[in-house]
Amino acid sequence: MEKIIWGIDPGSSICGICELKSALIGNVFDEQPNSVYKRIMGICGPNSVTVVIEDVFPFSNRLTPDVIDTCKLIGELTYRFNTTENVSVHLVPRNSVRNWIFKTVPDIIIPRVIDRMEYLDKQKIKQGKRSLRDKEGKLYEPHFKYVDDRIIIAALKKLYNIPTPKPGKSNIYGLKGHNFQALAVAAYFAHIGSFTNEKQ
């Protein structure tokens, strides 16, 4: 049977959605928060599917109105999908996705993380803040916490063999912005497996 995973990058104003069908990229789109459930269920129908939602990680963000609205949306989507037959729901913190991709594609990730750390180090020094170097002046070891969205996109392009399009053109799957993070969430689940919050 075909394994279908839907990744959701929830947002207070727009959500990124990406489908993996037997480990291949399927439907990709942005959706208004209030129609995410209806759109996904309209596509998958009675098929058994897994929905993986990027969760808000404690202390990772300031508690802004957007973060509060996103938390409410995560709760609503979790409830709606969890009470739907043939759907299993999983919540995945972004930090877990970053850590996984950091370890999975080191040849792509590590050089970019080092570049980002060197940039941040210079910015911190200019601002009179503590640098990212030890007492000997050596840059700290690369860490997944410095993986940003652009680095994730570069790693996903390698994992799924997504060619970089010509300027002004979209890639072959139509992935952009939030869709890439939704793909990252789905890919993480596809590679890691089950979680403790699986519907009983």
Side-chain angles (χ1 to χ4, degrees):
M1 180 180 290
E2 191 173 46
K3 185 176 182 180
I4 302 174
I5 301 173
W6 287 92
I8 302 177
D9 177 29
S12 59
S13 58
I14 198 73
C15 296
I17 314 291
C18 183
E19 177 192 30
L20 284 181
K21 300 176 72 173
S22 298
L24 299 175
I25 298 172
N27 290 285
V28 174
F29 52 88
D30 287 333
E31 192 64 43
Q32 296 295 320
N34 60 1
S35 56
V36 168
Y37 173 84
K38 183 178 180 180
R39 179 83 180 271
I40 290 177
M41 295 311 300
I43 294 172
C44 65
N47 295 315
S48 294
V49 299
T50 299
V51 173
V52 187
I53 305 170
E54 183 183 273
D55 201 3
V56 173
F57 187 75
F59 312 115
S60 64
N61 297 315
R62 291 180 299 152
L63 198 59
T64 64
D66 283 346
V67 171
I68 293 172
D69 287 343
T70 299
C71 290
K72 291 177 180 178
L73 174 63
I74 291 169
E76 178 186 347
L77 291 175
T78 300
Y79 173 78
R80 295 190 73 181
F81 283 116
N82 235 346
T83 54
T84 301
E85 191 174 356
N86 296 325
V87 178
S88 62
V89 184
H90 307 270
L91 300 178
V92 176
R94 177 170 285 204
N95 278 7
S96 296
V97 177
R98 287 178 178 176
N99 190 27
W100 165 72
I101 211 159
F102 178 83
K103 295 176 179 178
T104 303
V105 201
D107 57 322
I108 297 293
I109 295 290
I110 300 299
R112 287 170 169 80
V113 165
I114 291 173
D115 287 345
R116 183 161 189 254
M117 289 176 67
E118 288 177 342
Y119 170 79
L120 293 174
D121 178 62
K122 291 177 182 177
Q123 294 302 309
K124 286 179 176 291
I125 292 173
K126 285 181 181 179
Q127 297 167 4
K129 297 180 180 179
R130 185 177 177 182
S131 73
L132 299 180
R133 298 179 181 273
D134 60 23
K135 293 180 180 179
E136 284 71 41
K138 184 180 178 182
L139 195 71
Y140 292 146
E141 289 296 317
H143 193 278
F144 75 85
K145 70 180 180 180
Y146 296 105
V147 173
D148 61 10
D149 289 349
R150 290 198 304 175
I151 296 174
I152 288 175
I153 289 171
L156 291 171
K157 283 182 175 180
K158 178 175 181 180
L159 280 175
Y160 288 93
N161 195 27
I162 304 170
T164 300
K166 294 180 180 179
K169 302 291 184 179
S170 62
N171 58 62
I172 57 176
Y173 298 106
L175 286 158
K176 60 181 180 180
H178 296 290
N179 303 147
F180 269 109
Q181 190 59 37
L183 171 58
V185 170
Y188 169 78
F189 183 86
H191 285 80
I192 296 300
S194 62
F195 298 89
T196 56
N197 62 337
E198 183 171 357
K199 185 174 73 173
Q200 302 300 317

